[in-house]
Amino acid sequence: AAEEFTVTSVQSVIHEVNIMDVNGKQIKNISVSNLSYVKMDITEIPAGIYLIEIKTDHGIIRKKLLKTSGNE
C-alpha cells in the first residue's frame, strides 16, 4: 500500500492540503507557502476512504483518497 502521495498543481500554487474522514473530521493538515506540489506521508492513517481538500490561489479542490491496507 502507498504510504505517501503527492498533490501537484500545474496552473496554480498550493497553500494548504487537508485530509478529512467521510464525516468531515480533519485527520491531517499541511500548510505550505506557494508550492506547486506537496508530498504527504499517510503512514499513520488507517485504511479507508478520505476526502482531500486542496486550497490554491484559484480556489478549493476536493478529491477522494482511498488508502488500502498492505494485504490488498
Side-chain angles (χ1 to χ4, degrees), residues 8-67:
T8 304
S9 177
V10 176
Q11 297 181 349
S12 58
V13 294
I14 299 167
H15 299 291
E16 187 175 8
V17 180
N18 290 305
I19 299 177
M20 296 168 285
D21 66 15
V22 292
N23 296 316
K25 179 183 174 191
Q26 184 172 291
I27 304 296
K28 186 163 183 155
N29 170 276
I30 292 183
S31 294
V32 295
S33 296
N34 301 324
L35 295 179
S36 60
Y37 74 94
V38 176
K39 188 176 284 191
M40 294 188 78
D41 179 359
I42 55 171
T43 305
E44 75 284 359
I45 298 174
I49 298 172
Y50 298 91
L51 304 173
I52 301 174
E53 186 176 80
I54 306 156
K55 295 181 182 178
T56 72
D57 56 346
H58 288 116
I60 297 173
I61 301 162
R62 292 179 180 92
K63 298 286 184 181
K64 284 185 183 176
L65 170 69
L66 173 63
K67 182 178 179 191

